[in-house]
């Protein structure tokens, strides 16, 4: 059974969060570990997707409403887990009273985020040698 949990980057969860991000961002996308692990994880609220204790996906939201580090293990893609991670983070933001959330979408994922209610703004930019597009979603209070 797949569980989607809101968690902290603590002793109980950080190993699973790091595992998913190492597989997806560092191994698959060749992102420098120093960029990927930016020191903000302990200040963020995370979503962790697990199936029988096996980590399948993750994402985080910072106190300023910035969503990031959305990652789903290759074998678990195509099952709607990325949608559930983003929805859980947006729902958390609504519960906390955030007026908006924003993210930097890899350009290949812009349509994915658009379907979830995000709107692009600004110019395309490079981050970790990957083209990105800033996107935002205004939240109803």
């Amino acid at each position: 059974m797949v569980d989607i949990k809101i968690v902290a980057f603590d002793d109980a969860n950080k190993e699973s969060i790091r595992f998913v991000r190492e597989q997806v961002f560092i191994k698959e996308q060749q992102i420098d570990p120093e960029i990927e692990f930016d020191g903000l994880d302990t200040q963020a609220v995370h979503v962790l997707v697990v199936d029988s204790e096996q980590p399948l996906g993750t994402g985080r939201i910072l106190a300023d409403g910035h969503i990031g580090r959305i990652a789903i293990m290759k074998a678990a893609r195509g099952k709607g887990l990325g949608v559930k991670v983003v929805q859980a983070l947006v729902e958390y933001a609504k519960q906390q009273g955030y007026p908006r959330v924003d993210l930097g979408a890899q350009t290949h994922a812009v349509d994915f985020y658009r379907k979830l209610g995000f709107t692009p703004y600004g110019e395309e930019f490079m981050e970790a040698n990957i083209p990105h597009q800033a996107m935002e979603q205004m939240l109803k209070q």
Side-chain angles (χ1 to χ4, degrees):
M1 165 140 168
V2 174
D3 283 322
I4 296 157
K5 309 183 281 191
I6 298 285
V7 300
F9 193 76
D10 57 14
D11 288 342
N13 300 296
K14 67 182 174 186
E15 198 173 301
S16 293
I17 293 167
R18 286 186 68 93
F19 175 75
V20 172
R21 287 169 46 190
E22 284 169 355
Q23 296 300 310
V24 173
F25 295 125
I26 296 169
K27 290 188 176 159
E28 276 184 51
Q29 297 185 355
Q30 304 296 305
I31 293 174
D32 184 328
E34 288 185 19
I35 294 172
E36 176 53 34
F37 295 105
D38 58 6
L40 299 176
D41 286 316
T42 57
Q43 302 164 38
V45 171
H46 298 259
V47 168
L48 183 59
V49 181
V50 295
D51 185 0
S52 305
E53 302 301 313
Q54 179 66 34
L56 300 179
T58 191
R60 75 178 186 190
I61 187 167
L62 300 173
D64 64 0
H66 186 76
I67 290 173
R69 304 309 198 265
I70 308 295
I72 303 297
M73 297 291 287
K74 190 178 254 184
R77 292 182 195 150
K79 299 176 182 174
L81 297 179
V83 169
K84 290 180 180 176
V85 168
V86 175
Q87 288 173 334
L89 291 167
V90 170
E91 186 56 35
Y92 172 83
K94 286 178 181 175
Q95 291 171 359
Q96 298 304 307
Y98 291 18
R100 78 185 265 281
V101 290
D102 72 296
L103 52 82
Q106 292 184 9
T107 53
H108 70 83
V110 167
D111 286 342
F112 168 82
Y113 290 109
R114 198 185 301 269
K115 288 174 187 167
L116 293 173
F118 286 82
T119 305
Y121 69 92
E123 299 295 318
E124 194 175 288
F125 63 95
M126 294 296 285
E127 186 173 309
N129 295 318
I130 299 169
H132 283 71
Q133 173 64 54
M135 300 184 80
E136 67 182 347
Q137 183 178 140
M138 303 311 286
L139 303 178
K140 295 179 177 77
Q141 296 299 314

